[in-house]
Amino acid sequence: MSVPNPDVDAFVSRAKRWRSEIQKLRPILRECGLDEDLKWGKPCYTFEGKNVAIVQPFKEHCALLFFKGALLEDSHRLLRSQGKNTQSALRLEFRSEAEIKKTLVKAYAKQAIAVEKAGLEVDFKAKRELELPAELTQILKNNRKLAKAFHALTPGRQRGYVLHFAGAKQSKTRAARIEKCAPKILAGKGMNDR
């Protein structure tokens, strides 16, 4: 069993919601051989330096998200998606400490560790099938420099832009978003990069 991380101890002591649920999850995950760390401001569990799971306190529930949850066998049908654009991460959701069943959490965590040991990767649909909005296709066709910069971005950054552009209902709004983001694209930066 790995040792508790003092940064996570401090996180739990400051937690206003879901404190007992987080305290119940921590030793279960460490017993599985996961190392505990604080990443993105939340308790994160790793195996040989690779992110396996993260605890996420939300308003309505506390979640244990598995980064490669799509590769886990969900025989109990408990894993939930983060949202419609999520392809890899799936989570267990808890609304009370009583809902946390040690054997189930361990079973999912051990599967997640096995996925990491095997070196399995999620086949991201977005890497294969990135459907560009018509406005972006037209602008890239007319601006070779922007097209080159856009296609040089990582698949994740391209996807971030496409989701942002396609999220607009009107064509003129999509075009305006593309024009506004052009300088960042030309600089090789993603939507949220500074």
Side-chain angles (χ1 to χ4, degrees):
M1 181 156 116
S2 66
V3 296
N5 183 302
D7 293 335
V8 178
D9 291 337
F11 172 87
V12 173
S13 70
R14 292 187 310 270
K16 293 183 180 8
R17 297 183 61 111
W18 311 112
R19 182 179 297 168
S20 62
E21 288 78 8
I22 297 167
Q23 287 175 322
K24 187 169 183 179
L25 286 169
R26 291 178 69 194
I28 296 170
L29 296 166
R30 290 194 321 267
E31 280 176 26
C32 293
L34 293 170
D35 293 318
E36 187 176 65
D37 202 353
L38 194 69
K39 294 184 178 184
W40 305 285
K42 296 176 180 64
C44 187
Y45 295 85
T46 62
F47 179 77
E48 294 180 355
K50 301 208 175 176
N51 297 329
V52 172
I54 190 165
V55 175
Q56 299 176 306
F58 291 102
K59 186 176 183 180
E60 301 295 323
H61 60 269
C62 180
L64 177 62
L65 178 132
F66 294 98
F67 290 96
K68 295 181 181 177
L71 299 177
L72 304 181
E73 183 181 320
D74 188 17
S75 56
H76 299 284
R77 298 184 178 272
L78 296 173
L79 293 174
R80 302 287 173 255
S81 175
Q82 287 279 92
K84 69 176 185 165
N85 294 315
T86 301
Q87 296 181 52
S88 177
L90 294 175
R91 66 188 185 200
L92 296 172
E93 297 176 353
F94 309 103
R95 285 165 185 76
S96 71
E97 187 179 346
E99 288 184 8
I100 300 172
K101 305 294 182 211
K102 183 176 182 176
T103 54
L104 282 174
V105 172
K106 272 186 134 173
Y108 282 101
K110 287 186 178 193
Q111 273 193 73
I113 292 168
V115 163
E116 285 304 326
K117 281 183 179 178
L120 300 178
E121 295 293 332
V122 174
D123 180 23
F124 290 101
K125 176 183 163 190
K127 285 185 180 177
R128 298 186 321 272
E129 305 168 15
L130 190 60
E131 193 173 316
L132 304 181
E135 297 80 6
L136 180 60
T137 302
Q138 187 61 44
I139 289 172
L140 294 180
K141 187 174 163 183
N142 296 333
N143 186 335
R144 295 179 72 200
K145 187 175 178 183
L146 184 63
K148 184 177 179 181
F150 180 79
H151 293 297
L153 294 172
T154 63
R157 286 183 172 140
Q158 288 179 20
R159 184 170 185 260
Y161 281 117
V162 168
L163 291 173
H164 176 63
F165 302 151
K169 293 179 183 174
Q170 295 182 4
S171 178
K172 71 177 188 178
T173 307
R174 287 190 291 274
R177 286 183 179 185
I178 295 165
E179 292 297 330
K180 184 176 180 183
C181 291
K184 286 183 90 171
I185 293 170
L186 290 167
K189 295 182 177 182
M191 279 285 303
N192 300 315
D193 295 345
R194 294 177 189 209

